[in-house]
Amino acid sequence: MNGPVADRRLADAVAHWERDLLGDELPWDTWEDEEETREELAAWLVRHAPARLRAHGADEELLHRVRLLGLTGPDRWEDPHWPAHVY
């Protein structure tokens, strides 16, 4: 689903989920395949969310946090846009 309402909801979801996802946790409880589901969600966001978030007017910090989802280990933590809060 695309369009202004869907893009606004995507921006809200990403803003709500980014802290959990950057902490390598799924932003909701599940009984199975948590790691696989988190990886698939992060990969989808890295591939599809940036263009939609830009079109919606999301701030650059949110876009950087989505980009960080595609990085692992020191590449993620040492990035200048890594958030100051602890995960």
Side-chain angles (χ1 to χ4, degrees), residues 57-70:
D59 72 17
E60 287 298 312
E61 282 305 309
L62 186 59
L63 291 166
H64 282 298
R65 292 197 176 128
V66 169
R67 180 185 56 78
L68 288 171
L69 294 174

Side-chain angles (χ1 to χ4, degrees), residues 23-56:
D24 291 329
E25 295 191 15
L26 196 59
W28 57 79
D29 292 329
T30 185
W31 287 99
E32 56 187 54
D33 301 325
E34 181 174 351
E35 184 70 16
E36 181 181 337
T37 302
R38 182 195 55 79
E39 289 173 358
E40 288 176 9
L41 174 59
W44 187 93
L45 290 171
V46 167
R47 273 193 313 269
H48 300 286
R52 292 178 62 185
L53 293 173
R54 275 189 201 90
H56 178 67

